Amino acid sequence: QSVLTQPPSVSGAPGQRVTISCIGSNSNIGARYDVHWYQQLPGTAPRLLIYDNINRPSGVPARFSGSKSGTSASLAITGLQAEDEADYYCQSYDRSLSDVVFGGGTKLTVL
Amino acid sequence: QEQLVESGGGLVKPGGSLRLSCAASGFSFSTYYMAWIRQAPGKGLETVSYISGSADTIDYAESVKGRFTISRDNAKRSLFLQMNSLRDDDTAVYFCARDWCSSTSCYDLWGRGALVTVSS
């Protein structure tokens, strides 16, 4: 059971918009720790997609955006493309565990 | 080009030991916190251990405390993970990663990973 809860799967058709939620608590996201998002394509290492809740590293398309409110965060992907099919993970810090924590991951399927 | 390359993975029996290495290039290695993050087959990500640039701050996941030791050699631009008393549930791909964010840790540079299989 992950400290950060993500839906196991989401899906969408090409061109559509999808969102992935990351639900935490007052000991992590609600404690104002930043949330980061990673994309992991099959058989590859994770790639940093969003950092500090809303920022995109150089090279990440503007189709990807992040938000945070209260004890949860979300990743939105607009203009869905076949190449977006991957696993997505949220990550933050938990002060009760004194540890970096990841969500359980969400598998995005492009229909 | 910034790069991390892991080595040292393999098949080991329960109770055995293995040492992973991570060679860094293309960036100022000594100025970054570094971490080992693992992913069991078909599972999610778990931070195993991290170490500060000067190696004066180190921490481990509860699941590996007392069995794993992280270290670094800044002169050789290398990160290490000594794994002892390995168990079946240590089987995973182990990634070396650079901690890039100044507030809450985030990992912007990853190696391709080293597969560690613990099995009799």
Side-chain angles (χ1 to χ4, degrees):
Chain A
Q1 190 82 2
S2 301
V3 172
L4 304 178
T5 302
Q6 298 180 232
S9 63
V10 297
S11 63
Q16 284 190 332
R17 178 181 186 271
V18 297
T19 61
I20 299 172
S21 61
C22 176
I23 300 172
S25 69
N26 287 324
S27 68
N28 41 68
I29 299 175
R32 300 189 179 183
Y33 291 106
D34 292 320
V35 178
H36 318 297
W37 291 90
Y38 301 86
Q39 176 194 59
Q40 187 176 31
L41 299 171
T44 69
R47 167 198 183 194
L48 182 64
L49 209 58
I50 298 289
Y51 69 96
D52 293 352
N53 310 310
I54 61 172
N55 299 302
R56 283 176 289 107
S58 174
V60 173
R63 303 187 295 106
F64 296 90
S65 63
S67 64
K68 173 187 167 184
S69 178
T71 59
S72 65
S74 289
L75 172 71
I77 309 171
T78 58
L80 208 55
Q81 300 179 4
E83 67 204 48
D84 298 333
E85 192 159 284
D87 293 325
Y88 292 83
Y89 294 90
C90 61
Q91 177 243 307
S92 185
Y93 182 86
D94 189 283
R95 65 183 178 189
S96 297
L97 298 174
S98 297
D99 205 359
V100 167
V101 290
F102 286 92
T106 298
K107 182 176 181 59
L108 169 63
T109 300
V110 180
L111 302 171
Chain B
Q1 180 186 0
E2 298 180 333
Q3 193 174 15
L4 296 171
V5 179
E6 302 93 340
S7 60
L11 174 64
V12 61
K13 289 182 168 53
S17 298
L18 214 54
R19 188 188 195 214
L20 300 182
S21 299
C22 172
S25 59
F27 66 97
S28 183
F29 178 71
S30 64
T31 65
Y32 288 92
Y33 274 66
M34 298 293 296
W36 288 100
I37 298 167
R38 70 183 178 184
Q39 186 171 36
K43 303 296 185 183
L45 301 167
E46 177 190 18
T47 305
V48 173
S49 181
Y50 69 80
I51 184 170
S52 63
S54 57
D56 56 357
T57 300
I58 287 174
D59 201 8
Y60 300 93
E62 284 298 322
S63 58
V64 307
K65 270 183 183 175
R67 301 187 299 122
F68 289 12
T69 302
I70 192 172
S71 61
R72 66 192 297 161
D73 184 334
N74 287 338
K76 294 184 178 179
R77 306 167 67 82
S78 293
L79 177 72
F80 307 101
L81 186 68
Q82 177 66 43
M83 304 183 292
N84 299 330
S85 302
L86 282 161
R87 311 186 305 217
D88 289 351
D89 61 0
D90 293 318
T91 294
V93 174
Y94 286 73
F95 296 101
C96 164
R98 180 176 74 180
D99 187 347
W100 182 61
C101 289
S102 56
S103 57
T104 308
S105 292
C106 79
Y107 308 104
D108 76 315
L109 182 65
W110 298 65
R112 290 188 174 185
L115 176 61
V116 172
T117 303
V118 184
S119 174
S120 53

